[in-house]
Amino acid sequence: MPGGCARGPAAAAAAGDRRLRLARLLLVLLGWVSSSTGTSSSSPSSSSTSSSSPSSSVSAQPPPPPPPPPPGHCPAPCECSEAARTVKCVNKNLTEVPEDLPRYVRTLFFTGNQLAILPSGAFASRPPLAELATLNLSGSCLQEVSAGAFEHLPSLRQLDLSHNPLADLSPVAFSGGGGGSNASSLGRSPLSELFLNDILPPRDSQLRNRSFVGMVAAALQSGGALGNLLRLELSGNNFIYLPRDMFSGLPKLKHLDLHNNSLVGLGNLALGNLTHLETLHLGNNAFKALYNASLVQLQSLPNLRVNLDNNPWLCDCNLVDMVAWLKETNVVEGKASLSCFFPEKMRNRPLVKLNSSDLDCDPLPLDPLQTSYVFLGIVLALIGAIFLLVLYLNRKGIKKWLYNIRDACRDHMEGYHYRYEINADPRLTNLSSNSDV
Ligand SMILES: *[C@@H]1O[C@H](CO)[C@@H](O)[C@H](O)[C@H]1NC(C)=O
Ligand SMILES: *[C@@H]1O[C@H](CO)[C@@H](O)[C@H](O)[C@H]1NC(C)=O
Ligand SMILES: *[C@@H]1O[C@H](CO)[C@@H](O)[C@H](O)[C@H]1NC(C)=O
Ligand SMILES: *[C@@H]1O[C@H](CO)[C@@H](O)[C@H](O)[C@H]1NC(C)=O
Ligand SMILES: *[C@@H]1O[C@H](CO)[C@@H](O)[C@H](O)[C@H]1NC(C)=O
Ligand SMILES: *[C@@H]1O[C@H](CO)[C@@H](O)[C@H](O)[C@H]1NC(C)=O
Ligand SMILES: *[C@@H]1O[C@H](CO)[C@@H](O)[C@H](O)[C@H]1NC(C)=O
Ligand SMILES: *[C@@H]1O[C@H](CO)[C@@H](O)[C@H](O)[C@H]1NC(C)=O
């Protein structure tokens, strides 16, 4: 496995990204200028290395269109097999996608690199990679996937973006796959399998004002671009909840994998429209119970099999509906193996063997927050009691102290009183005014 991702420019800020892109553009331009002013005789051989980008076509001389890479050509760090129609650029720390990928490629492994950013049209070439069907970008330190990053890949069926810290996934990242020449057709993507396992960015990265799950949900909706998707994997993303319409743009979905997240409920997630759903993996989450609303949704899907393994089921009165449903349903895979996790005395009891007399809420289990409040209360009460005790033990000292204060006050007041009497005596005031004169 490749090591950690370098703290690339995308981690810092968007401004950095822009600067980097500008620098790249400048480099490309410089390269083109130097190659065009240099030896023009050796252009056929050097053309593949200094393949000019289409953006430099503004200059005076109309540049020759980049010739298609000769057959048998393979970008330097990669391994190509024309027979298998496969290109592998694996664990090479590449920072961008080579422009001169062979046109026959159907399967591209681009794993274990240092991409950081996937700009829009990252795989767009002229002529397009018309046969590319399987694209694996897993573990390539991708932090940003721009709008239309997979444009001009009309045959793309399977895309793996797993194990990338995706802090910025454009809401239209998956739009516009098919339209070869139609630039405006930001339409349907041909994708049928999308893998987004373990794409949670590190905590400190800036998620531009949105929640991670919201960002993923927006990209999945994409104005219905992923309408052809059949398989979606979203495991290991620490999702706690799922927005209601998260999967509403995926009407053909058959396989949905959400295992190893932190889901506590399905909330009001709209699963009802996924009428083709066949497998739903909800194992290794944090479900304690499923309630009627979710049970009805699961039961309503005609071909569904759902996996609920390894969830911390809490066997109290709130589980009654689910247990009753479990005993009846055929929807749950291996339902006999589901067992209680809480309370302690019920641990490992199979859910389907419980009856309603087992499921009561009498010994109110305190949740951690409640326990901490109780603890705080006890501590405060103790402090109060100690304070009172100290007061009580010192009652004599305190009495003495109070008396002292009272005496001091009295002395003081008497002093005032005396002075007041002196001032109030008219003879004495006269005397003092005379003596002034
Ligand atoms: C990629 O980078 C890592 C660490 O930065 C290094 O250990 C490894 O040798 C590099 N691999 C290649 C092919 O350059
Ligand atoms: C993509 O490549 C990784 C690393 O080689 C591999 O583990 C994963 O299974 C591949 N994805 C698909 C969909 O085959
Ligand atoms: C391109 O757009 C035109 C009209 O806008 C449409 O007739 C044509 O079918 C589109 N082609 C593709 C491949 O989407
Ligand atoms: C951030 O979110 C707030 C409210 O959620 C919104 O008003 C604001 O426009 C957002 N800012 C950006 C840059 O998206
Ligand atoms: C579960 O997901 C976390 C990331 O959220 C990952 O680190 C861990 O390896 C995953 N565990 C399994 C068993 O896949
Ligand atoms: C989902 O189904 C409901 C009715 O069950 C419907 O009102 C709603 O428009 C559907 N949503 C989508 C995105 O198809
Ligand atoms: C859940 O549904 C069952 C059967 O439809 C019903 O008997 C039960 O009362 C419902 N539970 C709640 C909490 O509404
Ligand atoms: C509940 O289950 C226990 C065994 O676990 C059994 O003895 C008892 O008869 C059951 N009660 C009902 C009402 O089914």
Side-chain angles (χ1 to χ4, degrees), residues 255-333:
H255 307 283
L256 178 55
D257 187 345
L258 287 161
H259 90 274
N260 191 22
N261 280 290
S262 305
L263 298 172
V264 292
L266 295 177
N268 56 359
L269 179 68
L271 284 173
N273 295 34
L274 302 180
T275 49
H276 298 280
L277 202 61
E278 290 173 13
T279 62
L280 175 58
H281 199 335
L282 296 174
N284 286 82
N285 275 286
F287 292 102
K288 289 181 180 165
L290 290 179
Y291 298 99
N292 269 359
S294 305
L295 301 177
V296 167
Q297 285 206 60
L298 294 178
Q299 194 64 44
S300 72
L301 298 173
N303 307 312
L304 184 66
R305 301 282 288 161
V306 59
N307 183 319
L308 294 170
D309 293 346
N310 297 316
N311 278 291
W313 304 111
L314 170 57
C315 290
D316 68 5
C317 58
N318 291 310
L319 208 67
V320 169
D321 290 333
M322 181 178 163
V323 167
W325 174 76
L326 264 186
K327 288 176 179 171
E328 303 283 311
T329 190
N330 291 320
V331 168
V332 180
E333 248 170 44

Side-chain angles (χ1 to χ4, degrees), residues 221-245:
Q221 283 166 359
S222 266
L226 290 173
N228 293 317
L229 209 62
L230 303 179
R231 177 184 296 275
L232 175 60
E233 293 191 3
L234 289 166
S235 76
N237 286 322
N238 217 358
F239 292 147
I240 295 167
Y241 74 101
L242 301 170
R244 173 172 170 74
D245 290 328

Side-chain angles (χ1 to χ4, degrees), residues 335-346:
K335 63 180 181 180
S337 67
L338 302 186
S339 56
C340 303
F341 192 73
F342 295 118
E344 203 79 42
K345 66 178 162 85
M346 307 269 282

Side-chain angles (χ1 to χ4, degrees), residues 4-190:
C5 300
R7 300 294 291 164
D17 302 353
R18 246 169 263 134
R19 239 176 287 138
L20 189 84
R21 267 181 228 155
L22 207 72
R24 270 190 205 154
L25 192 74
L26 262 174
L27 264 174
V28 168
L29 264 169
L30 265 174
W32 180 74
V33 165
S34 64
S35 75
S36 62
T37 53
T39 51
S40 55
S41 57
S42 65
S43 63
S45 61
S46 68
S47 61
S48 68
T49 52
S50 69
S51 56
S52 60
S53 79
S55 60
S56 60
S57 61
V58 215
S59 52
Q61 260 189 1
H73 169 85
C74 190
C78 306
E79 295 159 29
C80 309
S81 160
E82 181 158 11
R85 308 209 179 259
T86 298
V87 173
K88 291 185 181 174
C89 314
V90 175
N91 297 339
K92 292 291 193 288
N93 297 348
L94 298 180
T95 55
E96 53 186 18
V97 180
E99 282 179 33
D100 47 350
L101 289 166
R103 286 184 54 204
Y104 59 73
V105 61
R106 267 185 208 155
T107 304
L108 174 56
F109 285 93
F110 204 87
T111 63
N113 289 301
Q114 299 276 349
L115 276 180
I117 299 166
L118 204 59
S120 55
F123 298 92
S125 64
R126 201 175 301 169
L129 300 173
E131 301 201 30
L132 186 60
T134 304
L135 177 52
N136 192 336
L137 292 165
S138 92
S140 282
C141 296
L142 266 179
Q143 293 161 11
E144 182 182 334
V145 176
S146 309
F150 307 103
E151 267 176 342
H152 305 294
L153 295 176
S155 306
L156 190 63
R157 296 287 178 274
Q158 188 191 71
L159 174 60
D160 193 343
L161 287 172
S162 302
H163 308 289
N164 284 300
L166 284 183
D168 193 357
L169 177 63
S170 162
V172 285
F174 304 116
S175 293
S181 54
N182 279 13
S184 61
S185 73
L186 271 177
R188 289 220 156 177
S189 157

